Amino acid sequence: MKVEGRQYRTIALAEDGWSIDIIDQTALPHAFVTRRLRSLDDAAEAIRSMRVRGAPLIGATAAYGVCLALRHDASDTQLNAAIKALAETRPTAVNLAWALDRMVKTVGPASAEKRSTTAYAAAARICADDVAGCLAIAKHGARLITECWKTRGDATPIQVLTHCNAGWLATVDWGTALAGVYLAHDRGVPIHVWVDETRPRNQGAGLTAWELGQHGVPHTVVVDNAGGHLMQHGQVDMCLVGTDRTTADGDVCNKIGTYLKALAAEDNDIPFYVAAPYASIDWSGQEP
């Protein structure tokens, strides 16, 4: 996605070919700051302090954290220590454990001489898969938005309410719930987004509103409790939210306050969609 006309991803290999550049989300929306990760401790701190936020991005950062840990010591001891340290950074999104498990399965069998190279390739693949998955979500979401707009039968903007941050800042690129908003907007669908402030971290007001503004999507920040009022008064056409964890049978765990939006949407007969990337699904021992 673009920031002031320049293309960015939330996480990327730096020009030196080994360190990792991230967008420091703790500085948003007041300043746009990039930060370089050069060690396992840097990666762990970035996740723990929420310099990187959002389930898919946390997983990608953890994968690159393993890479940084193995650059000078590719032993089993170092690999196990890195996995343990990164696993303890955040207790929420399943993507963290998923990414670390994928790194262990890919990197573990490699010889010590090839582990670092294997790790960087595996982390890059995790990022590429996330972008591809989010683009697929964007296409599906844009179709739902466009159909809802056409069904309504007038030219006024479709009104979308979202919660927390499920945009490109939460992923490597594109986003989940907001990905369809961006693609629909780019395709010419008139759209307006109601943005919940989502305390205490204010991902809505601080991140969602910022990235919507960067993309040129009209939006309005509202307090969390205004969501039900807007729905009740016919000012919301559909709700789009992300998910930190989704069970195989469809139950969803997300930012506090999502439940209230779902209840209000059900009561007011408003479509409520959850964008769940594959890696957010907790299969609980089931085969996918």
Side-chain angles (χ1 to χ4, degrees):
M1 305 298 283
K2 291 184 177 180
V3 178
E4 297 180 353
R6 179 180 173 185
Q7 194 73 30
Y8 282 93
R9 285 187 173 180
T10 54
I11 187 167
L13 195 65
E15 294 177 355
D16 58 21
W18 66 268
S19 60
I20 308 302
D21 287 337
I22 62 168
I23 296 171
D24 187 348
Q25 297 184 33
T26 61
L28 294 172
H30 307 292
F32 180 75
V33 178
T34 59
R35 192 179 188 90
R36 185 154 293 184
L37 309 181
R38 293 182 171 88
S39 67
L40 168 64
D41 288 344
D42 286 348
E45 191 276 339
I47 298 171
R48 189 180 300 110
S49 66
M50 298 184 77
R51 299 187 193 281
V52 294
R53 315 184 197 188
L57 178 56
I58 289 171
T61 305
Y64 273 121
V66 173
C67 298
L68 293 171
L70 297 179
R71 279 196 72 239
H72 300 298
D73 180 359
S75 65
D76 287 345
T77 300
Q78 178 72 336
L79 176 60
N80 293 334
I83 297 297
K84 182 176 186 297
L86 291 162
E88 293 174 349
T89 54
R90 289 288 297 277
T92 51
V94 74
N95 297 65
L96 175 62
W98 171 86
L100 292 175
D101 181 63
R102 184 167 168 177
M103 292 297 288
V104 168
K105 289 179 178 178
T106 304
V107 176
S111 64
E113 293 76 18
K114 295 183 178 179
R115 268 189 177 170
S116 180
T117 302
T118 302
Y120 275 96
R125 173 52 56 187
I126 286 174
C127 290
D129 287 350
D130 180 66
V131 175
C134 288
L135 179 56
I137 290 173
K139 293 176 180 178
H140 186 59
R143 179 180 60 81
L144 293 173
I145 292 169
T146 303
E147 289 175 354
C148 185
W149 176 62
K150 289 181 177 179
T151 299
R152 203 184 56 190
D154 62 56
T156 59
I158 183 170
Q159 301 290 330
V160 176
L161 185 141
T162 191
H163 190 75
C164 195
N165 178 256
W168 69 275
L169 285 167
T171 67
V172 178
D173 205 351
W174 278 104
T176 55
L178 287 185
V181 170
Y182 292 130
L183 189 55
H185 171 80
D186 291 347
R187 289 175 175 177
V189 176
I191 189 167
H192 171 267
V193 181
W194 297 105
V195 181
D196 282 348
E197 64 176 352
T198 54
R199 294 184 182 184
R201 290 284 187 168
N202 276 348
Q203 285 99 326
L207 303 181
T208 301
W210 179 82
E211 61 175 82
L212 286 169
Q214 290 291 324
H215 201 82
V217 178
H219 60 280
T220 303
V221 176
V222 295
V223 296
D224 280 1
N225 286 339
H229 174 82
L230 292 169
M231 293 185 217
Q232 187 180 44
H233 287 78
Q235 297 186 63
V236 177
D237 295 308
M238 64 191 303
C239 297
L240 291 173
V241 301
T243 170
D244 283 332
R245 183 169 300 207
T246 308
T247 64
D249 61 4
D251 291 331
V252 170
C253 298
N254 196 48
K255 174 85 172 190
I256 188 168
T258 307
Y259 177 62
L260 297 179
K261 302 303 181 298
L263 291 178
E266 173 71 16
D267 192 53
N268 289 278
D269 196 27
I270 294 171
F272 190 96
Y273 298 107
V274 178
Y278 178 87
S280 75
I281 300 176
D282 184 354
W283 295 100
S284 300
Q286 303 178 48
E287 287 295 324

